[in-house]
């Protein structure tokens, strides 16, 4: 029998509907509820995982019907379908029927053993009885009152209303308008009377936005359908309430910021990657994607392909939306709501479908054509704010194209050396930057330990993140300067500042060159203690850079970058090729390969369940994910073991261990893989060392129990700091809190070193703090045996070590441990001023 899922923002409402329906059918039908969210303060909401679980609880081969209330209920239900295996997904249907009447009609039909199509028809006709009883009739438009909503019994109604909010129907209000209009069954049409436009569809974001509605314009909104009155009332309320905008605090996104507004052109952000950059700014934007046109035979398959790509794009944007609300605030992040609406725009979708079905165009060309048409309609507007929405349309359009074409990474084509400016860069975007063209990075989101920041340092590109969003409203080509060490950014700097910065840049380059000359010698303190200086790398090019810059080995190979730029996990052979190439470059130097560490801010598009987590950094990340998907780990371990022959010095390192059980489970899988290889007579290094990262507070607390089970520890302070200090490493607002120099974190490093040394294993550190050369005395004083940093930082770090004695370092470390804040720890080692 068909099962039914009720999705609502309100748990009480859903339970009430469930009770009513269950009573009608005497409990014969399986009815599940997915409603409300787990937030005691604001329990109204929907959650895709809950919907997924509800589907699973009533699933049978006869199918499942989902009934939803409004807005995000639909989105959560759509997302839940993505989590289902395809063979189940095909049997689950979303139903457009009204929640109460539809659920009851569906339950009755299901109890009568009707098939799912019949049940859908019954549910969708569920309002007919009510409408007939209420003597529902149609009245021509001309008879309807002009000023207000008239009779409740008419099918077509209209209102005229003035738009009073300051910016009119700009992206956010337009998105709210469309979302509200889409909540009703009635067809909504809107006309801008002031501009004398045609009536367009109210559920199309692009048509609504291109009406060019500004403050003071008069709209004519008509609604045709059984809930016309309610629809118009909701839209009227939205407009009367100025779309929730408080005009006294509204931030005008349109005007270009004058330099004088920007605090004499100087802004402060988070110092992320050292060095000075002076160049014109260019906004970060993906390059156009080459698309080939071809004739298609199976139109339905092609249409499905486009729809699936749109679904994936929606998920990506949803993830972006939740990250962005944290990093740039809800108001600014709401722009992504508009992106979601572009993807749901029925006019765009109909047009794309038409190109596929009638013109037999492939999905890429059909989609690109429609996106270009919409972008052009924005370009033609007089309104400069709305013209800027072209970027949003193009951005969303390209996201879908990239997915259609196998998740092509974004690319940046620069004609001259520039500083790139934007909201955020994904790790894969950053990894593709050309350091010869990208002189500097200036982003409004991000923090010093985000993965994009780490890559920027590896590439040696000066970067300042977490900069005020004013930088997003400057003219492209404006001269900009930034100092990645002090975290300062200057817009159109005056001559005196430029001269100072140029001198600093020169001094920086000379110091780097000097350090590089000595970088190939081992790092030894002036009283003779050797500290191993290794490199953190993410690919073959980094490995070459590491050796060139004087690395004694690789302390951390972040293997996740092999997985992130693909649409499916890399095969054993693909991985083997990369590990072998890196091992060849390193020869017999140590190469520590960390097993896959995704989750957190590194999401795998093909493991879509990852994006559904509310707190990805506290979710199924690192070793947890690999233990849940052992096949991923087995494939990777095989590749690592196979690369370990021929006198290479490969070591394995587990990420994110929090319990002994996890460590033992991972080691058990390794033992199984080793025995399989032995049986297949495949050679590998039988004496390979196996270590683990210390990056959870739990692992520090039980370091004495973990140490006897591994050959080394490497402390990941990027994560350890965020978990110890409860401060998200990607959130600039808590960047000073999640600092590895917090005394709490330093004490954890000390505790780990003591536990490691007591068990006779070496202890290294591969978090970003190791690259802060001025901090080296503290880290060495805490007893670390190895420091692993981005290749660019090796030379200065070695130089700093050579200027130290162990006794001095220990003295500084013991003072640091007693400080009351990270700021006072910094004051110990950083020059004043
Ligand atoms: C760390 O957490 O410090 C670390 C080195 O790992 P990642 O930055 O890749 O999480
Ligand atoms: Mg980590």
């Amino acid at each position: 029998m068909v099962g039914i899922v009720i999705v609502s923002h309100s748990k009480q409402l859903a339970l009430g509907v469930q009770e009513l329906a269950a009573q009608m059918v005497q409990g014969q039908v399986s009815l599940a509820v997915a409603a409300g969210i787990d937030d005691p303060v604001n329990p109204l909401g929907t959650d895709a995982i809950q919907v997924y679980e509800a589907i699973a609880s009533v699933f049978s081969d006869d199918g499942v019907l989902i009934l939803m209330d409004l807005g995000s209920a639909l989105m959560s239900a759509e997302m839940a379908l993505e989590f289902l295996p395809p063979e189940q997904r095909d049997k689950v249907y979303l139903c457009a029927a009204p929640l109460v009447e539809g659920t009851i009609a569906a339950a009755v039909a299901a109890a009568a053993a009707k098939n799912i199509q019949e049940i859908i028809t019954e549910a969708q006709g569920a309002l007919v009885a009510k409408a007939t009883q209420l003597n529902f009739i149609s009245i021509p438009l001309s008879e309807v009152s002009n000023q207000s909503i008239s009779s409740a019994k008419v099918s077509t109604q209209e209102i005229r209303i003035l738009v009073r909010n300051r910016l009119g129907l700009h992206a956010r209000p337009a998105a709210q308008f469309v979302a509200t209009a889409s909540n009703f069954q009635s067809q909504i049409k809107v006309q801008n009377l002031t501009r004398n436009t045609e009536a367009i569809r109210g559920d199309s974001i692009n048509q609504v936005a291109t009406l060019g509605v500004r403050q003071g314009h008069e709209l004519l909104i008509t609604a045709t359908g059984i809930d016309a009155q309610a629809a118009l009332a909701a839209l009227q309320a939205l407009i009367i309430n100025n779309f929730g905008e408080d005009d006294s605090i509204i931030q005008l996104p349109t005007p270009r910021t004058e330099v004088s507004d920007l605090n004499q052109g100087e802004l402060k952000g988070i110092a992320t990657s050292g060095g000075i950059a002076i160049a014109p700014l260019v906004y970060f934007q993906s390059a156009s994607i080459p698309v080939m046109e071809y004739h298609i035979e199976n139109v339905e398959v092609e249409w499905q392909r486009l729809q699936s790509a749109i679904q994936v794009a929606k998920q990506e944007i949803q993830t972006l939306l939740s990250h962005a609300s944290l990093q740039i605030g809800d108001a600014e992040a709401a722009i992504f709501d508009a992106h979601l609406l572009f993807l749901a725009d029925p006019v765009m979708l109909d047009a794309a479908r038409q190109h596929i079905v009638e013109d037999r165009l492939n999905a890429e060309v059909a989609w690109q054509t429609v996106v270009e048409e919409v972008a052009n309609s924005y370009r033609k507007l007089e309104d400069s704010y709305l013209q800027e929405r072209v970027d949003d349309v193009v951005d969303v359009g390209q996201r879908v194209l990239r997915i259609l074409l196998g998740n092509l990474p974004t690319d940046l084509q620069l004609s001259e050396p520039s500083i790139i400016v934007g909201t955020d860069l994904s790790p894969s975007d950053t990894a593709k930057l050309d350091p010869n063209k990208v002189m500097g990075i200036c982003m409004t989101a991000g923090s010093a330990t985000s993965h994009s920041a780490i890559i920027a340092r590896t590439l040696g590109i000066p970067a300042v993140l977490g900069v005020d969003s004013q930088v997003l409203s400057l003219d492209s080509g404006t001269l900009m300067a930034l100092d990645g060490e002090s975290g300062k950014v200057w817009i159109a700097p005056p001559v005196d500042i430029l001269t100072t910065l140029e001198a600093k840049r020169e001094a920086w380059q000379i110091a780097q060159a000097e350090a590089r000359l000595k970088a190939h010698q081992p790092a030894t303190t002036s009283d003779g203690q050797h500290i191993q200086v290794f490199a953190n790398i993410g690919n073959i090019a980094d490995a070459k850079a590491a050796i060139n810059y004087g690395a004694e080995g690789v302390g951390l190979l972040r293997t996740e970058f092999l997985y992130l730029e693909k649409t499916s996990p890399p095969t054993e052979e693909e991985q083997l090729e990369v590990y072998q190439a890196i091992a060849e470059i390193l020869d017999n130097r140590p190469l520590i390969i960390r097993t896959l560490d995704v989750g957190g801010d590194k999401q795998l598009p093909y493991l879509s369940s990852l994006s559904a987590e509310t707190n990805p950094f506290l979710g199924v990340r690192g070793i947890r994910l690999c233990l849940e998907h052992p096949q991923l780990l087995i494939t990777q371990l095989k590749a690592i073991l196979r690369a370990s022959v021929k006198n290479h010095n490969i070591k394995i390192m587990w990420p994110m261990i929090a319990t002994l059980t996890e460590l033992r489970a991972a080691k058990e899988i390794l033992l199984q893989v080793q025995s399989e290889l032995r049986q297949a007579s495949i050679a590998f290094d039988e004496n390979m060392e196996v270590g683990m990262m210390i990056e959870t507070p739990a692992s520090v607390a039980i370091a004495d129990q973990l140490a006897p089970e591994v050959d080394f520890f490497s402390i990941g302070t990027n994560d350890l700091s965020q978990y110890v200090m409860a401060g998200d490493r990607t959130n600039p607002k808590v960047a000073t809190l999640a600092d590895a120099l917090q005394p709490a974190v330093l004490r954890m490093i000390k505790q780990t070193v003591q536990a490691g040394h007591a068990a006779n294993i070496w202890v290294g550190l591969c978090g970003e703090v190791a690259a802060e050369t001025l901090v080296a005395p503290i880290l060495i004083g805490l007893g670390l045996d190895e420091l692993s940093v981005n290749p660019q930082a090796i030379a200065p770090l070695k130089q700093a070590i050579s200027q130290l004695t162990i006794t001095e370092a220990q003295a500084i470390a013991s003072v640091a441990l007693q400080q009351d804040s990270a700021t006072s720890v910094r004051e110990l080692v950083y020059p004043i001023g």
Side-chain angles (χ1 to χ4, degrees):
M1 189 182 295
V2 171
I4 294 174
V5 172
I6 304 161
V7 183
S8 168
H9 285 66
S10 155
K11 186 143 204 159
Q12 278 165 314
L13 172 62
L15 289 175
V17 175
Q18 185 190 34
E19 189 186 3
L20 211 55
Q23 209 179 48
M24 295 273 184
V25 296
Q26 313 269 309
Q28 287 175 59
V29 179
S30 305
L31 291 152
V33 159
I37 50 169
D38 209 6
D39 177 350
V41 184
N42 183 12
L44 294 184
T46 58
D47 170 11
I49 294 288
Q50 262 196 52
V51 182
Y52 166 78
E53 286 167 356
I55 298 170
S57 73
V58 297
F59 186 83
S60 77
D61 279 346
D62 291 333
V64 174
L65 191 65
I66 305 183
L67 290 112
M68 302 140 285
D69 59 11
L70 6 138
S72 74
L74 185 57
M75 211 125 53
S76 298
E78 283 178 334
M79 206 178 276
L81 294 193
E82 289 298 310
F83 303 153
L84 293 170
E87 61 284 4
Q88 285 190 10
R89 195 184 307 147
D90 292 346
K91 297 192 169 115
V92 180
Y93 291 79
L94 304 184
C95 182
L99 188 70
V100 181
E101 292 84 351
T103 307
I104 291 165
V108 171
K114 298 205 171 173
N115 69 33
I116 193 134
Q117 292 303 344
E118 291 167 327
I119 297 174
I120 292 173
T121 312
E122 293 279 333
Q124 284 179 340
L127 277 178
V128 172
K130 202 197 266 177
T132 314
Q133 200 177 337
L134 291 174
N135 200 15
F136 168 77
I137 50 165
S138 289
I139 290 184
L141 207 78
S142 54
E143 292 175 26
V144 179
S145 151
N146 258 354
Q147 292 301 323
S148 62
I149 300 165
S150 58
S151 163
K153 294 178 183 172
V154 295
S155 63
T156 296
Q157 302 185 28
E158 65 175 41
I159 51 169
R160 284 165 184 255
I161 189 161
L162 278 184
V163 173
R164 295 180 195 279
N165 67 312
R166 190 133 137 229
L167 290 171
L169 283 189
H170 65 85
R172 227 174 311 136
Q176 284 173 281
F177 186 99
V178 172
T180 307
S182 310
N183 280 339
F184 295 91
Q185 293 193 342
S186 296
Q187 195 182 49
I188 312 289
K189 295 231 163 180
V190 207
Q191 213 174 333
N192 183 344
L193 294 176
T194 312
R195 285 211 161 136
N196 204 12
T197 66
E198 287 185 6
I200 53 89
R201 286 178 65 157
D203 57 354
S204 160
I205 181 72
N206 295 306
Q207 295 206 341
V208 171
T210 50
L211 276 177
V213 180
R214 308 301 288 157
Q215 189 178 38
H217 284 191
E218 191 182 15
L219 299 186
L220 173 65
I221 310 173
T222 64
T224 306
I226 45 180
D227 51 6
Q229 182 177 358
L232 290 182
L235 290 169
Q236 192 176 36
L238 191 67
I239 297 172
I240 288 174
N241 288 325
N242 288 338
F243 301 90
E245 286 177 356
D246 178 348
D247 268 9
S248 59
I249 55 161
I250 192 170
Q251 301 235 328
L252 272 177
T254 13
R256 298 277 174 207
T257 312
E258 295 303 324
V259 169
S260 56
D261 291 339
L262 292 172
N263 188 23
Q264 279 83 45
E266 184 178 317
L267 295 170
K268 181 88 179 84
I270 300 165
T272 302
S273 174
I276 306 281
I278 305 168
L281 74 88
V282 164
Y283 286 103
F284 177 74
Q285 227 176 12
S286 318
S288 65
I289 299 170
V291 164
M292 270 200 3
E293 180 176 329
Y294 54 91
H295 183 84
I296 47 121
E297 294 300 334
N298 191 334
V299 292
E300 275 317 314
V301 167
E302 205 60 13
W303 173 236
Q304 273 309 323
R305 208 161 73 75
L306 178 57
Q307 283 187 306
S308 315
I310 290 174
Q311 270 316 323
V312 176
K314 280 186 186 168
Q315 282 175 21
E316 286 183 8
I317 295 170
Q318 198 73 50
T319 311
L320 212 59
L321 178 68
S322 42
H323 278 243
S325 333
L326 255 180
Q327 295 182 355
I328 56 176
D330 284 345
E332 323 241 353
I335 193 70
F336 294 118
D337 278 331
H339 283 205
L340 284 173
L341 284 172
F342 289 137
L343 292 176
D345 189 323
V347 176
M348 256 174 109
L349 295 177
D350 284 354
R353 184 170 163 81
Q354 213 170 337
H355 283 308
I356 292 175
V357 175
E358 289 173 14
D359 308 334
R360 303 255 157 182
L361 284 177
N362 51 316
E364 291 85 352
V365 175
W367 178 251
Q368 197 182 36
T369 311
V370 174
V371 169
E372 207 31 52
E373 280 162 12
V374 174
N376 278 338
S377 58
Y378 279 92
R379 282 188 190 107
K380 283 191 201 119
L381 294 169
E382 283 157 25
D383 184 310
S384 64
Y385 177 77
L386 286 169
Q387 282 173 359
E388 285 170 24
R389 302 283 61 78
V390 171
D391 291 349
D392 290 323
V393 176
V394 171
D395 186 14
V396 175
Q398 297 223 332
R399 185 181 293 280
V400 174
L401 272 187
R402 267 201 307 281
I403 296 164
L404 276 171
L405 290 165
N407 246 320
L408 288 182
T410 51
D411 212 350
L412 179 70
Q413 309 290 339
L414 293 176
S415 52
E416 56 169 346
S418 312
I419 291 178
I420 58 164
V421 175
T423 47
D424 200 4
L425 279 173
S426 72
S428 42
D429 287 338
T430 320
K432 296 211 63 151
L433 299 179
D434 174 359
N436 296 318
K437 287 278 172 59
V438 180
M439 297 292 101
I441 299 173
C442 172
M443 295 285 141
T444 55
S447 73
T449 59
S450 65
H451 285 95
S452 317
I454 292 169
I455 301 168
R457 280 193 284 274
T458 308
L459 294 172
I461 304 178
V464 180
L465 304 184
V467 179
D468 192 288
S469 58
Q470 295 172 82
V471 288
L472 299 176
S473 53
L474 296 160
D475 283 322
S476 207
T478 306
L479 185 69
M480 180 181 251
L482 61 82
D483 179 349
E485 213 174 15
S486 69
K488 284 188 184 161
V489 173
W490 293 265
I491 315 298
V495 179
D496 55 332
I497 293 196
L498 269 183
T499 316
T500 316
L501 287 175
E502 271 158 7
K504 192 169 174 188
R505 178 167 62 181
E506 211 170 305
W508 165 272
Q509 282 163 348
I510 292 170
Q512 294 258 317
E514 274 173 9
R516 231 174 277 148
L517 277 179
K518 296 192 200 133
H520 290 274
Q521 291 152 19
T524 310
T525 59
S526 56
D527 51 356
Q529 174 135 344
H530 177 216
I531 308 291
Q532 292 194 300
V533 176
F534 286 2
N536 293 344
I537 65 167
N539 54 36
I540 301 174
D542 291 352
K544 288 185 191 147
I547 298 304
N548 285 341
Y549 284 116
E552 293 165 58
V554 163
L556 168 63
L557 166 57
R558 288 186 167 95
T559 56
E560 43 279 8
F561 293 108
L562 291 175
Y563 294 69
L564 287 173
E565 292 194 357
K566 300 189 60 93
T567 47
S568 56
T571 62
E572 185 183 322
E573 295 306 318
E574 282 169 337
Q575 294 189 57
L576 176 63
E577 210 176 297
V578 176
Y579 303 148
Q580 269 172 343
I582 295 178
E584 289 295 328
I585 294 166
L586 279 147
D587 198 7
N588 58 1
R589 297 178 184 88
L591 164 58
I592 301 179
I593 304 185
R594 180 174 73 184
T595 58
L596 179 63
D597 178 21
V598 283
D601 61 345
K602 292 173 287 189
Q603 303 286 339
L604 289 188
Y606 41 90
L607 285 184
S608 57
S609 57
L610 281 178
S611 56
E613 293 180 320
T614 318
N615 266 320
F617 273 116
L618 300 182
V620 185
R621 186 191 163 190
I623 200 69
R624 303 171 188 179
L625 181 115
C626 284
L627 293 176
E628 264 193 19
H629 299 268
Q631 198 48 52
L632 274 178
L633 187 58
I634 290 170
T635 308
Q636 182 170 39
L637 290 175
K638 278 191 186 155
I640 299 175
L641 287 169
R642 285 174 60 194
S644 70
V645 286
K646 287 210 292 187
N647 282 340
H648 293 314
N649 189 357
I650 292 182
K651 305 174 203 290
I652 288 175
M653 178 158 73
W654 313 114
M656 278 291 292
I657 297 281
T659 66
L660 258 177
T661 318
E662 283 168 347
L663 175 62
R664 288 180 181 154
K667 283 170 60 181
E668 186 53 43
I669 294 178
L670 177 62
L671 285 178
Q672 280 169 22
V673 172
Q674 287 174 326
S675 107
E676 247 179 70
L677 291 185
R678 268 184 222 111
Q679 271 169 18
S681 305
I682 298 175
F684 62 91
D685 177 3
E686 293 274 359
N687 299 316
M688 184 187 285
E689 288 185 11
V690 178
M692 59 170 278
M693 301 226 22
I694 294 281
E695 48 187 351
T696 63
S699 64
V700 179
I702 57 166
D704 58 329
Q705 291 177 304
L706 296 165
E709 307 237 356
V710 287
D711 298 308
F712 62 90
F713 281 156
S714 183
I715 305 176
T717 43
N718 304 339
D719 280 312
L720 186 60
S721 314
Q722 75 162 343
Y723 295 131
V724 170
M725 302 306 299
D728 180 345
R729 66 190 265 186
T730 63
N731 183 351
K733 290 184 196 148
V734 290
T736 46
L737 196 64
D739 183 341
L741 292 189
Q742 289 284 357
V745 182
L746 295 180
R747 288 176 188 214
M748 293 233 156
I749 297 174
K750 183 176 176 208
Q751 204 177 320
T752 307
V753 172
Q754 282 175 338
H757 287 176
N760 281 326
I761 63 167
W762 62 265
V763 184
L765 190 148
C766 57
E768 291 305 297
V769 71
E772 284 188 56
T773 47
L774 295 174
V775 174
I778 301 180
L779 300 182
I780 288 164
L782 289 172
L784 288 158
D785 306 294
E786 173 249 25
L787 296 175
S788 191
V789 294
N790 64 76
Q792 307 270 345
I794 288 171
L797 178 59
K798 284 189 168 183
Q799 200 175 38
I801 292 172
S802 69
Q803 288 159 4
L804 270 178
T805 68
I806 287 291
T807 333
E808 274 163 10
Q810 284 168 344
I812 297 175
S814 68
V815 177
L817 288 169
Q818 300 312 319
Q819 296 304 303
D820 56 6
S821 65
T823 312
S824 35
V825 173
R826 269 181 204 286
E827 278 165 9
L828 279 181
V829 288
Y830 275 84
I832 301 167

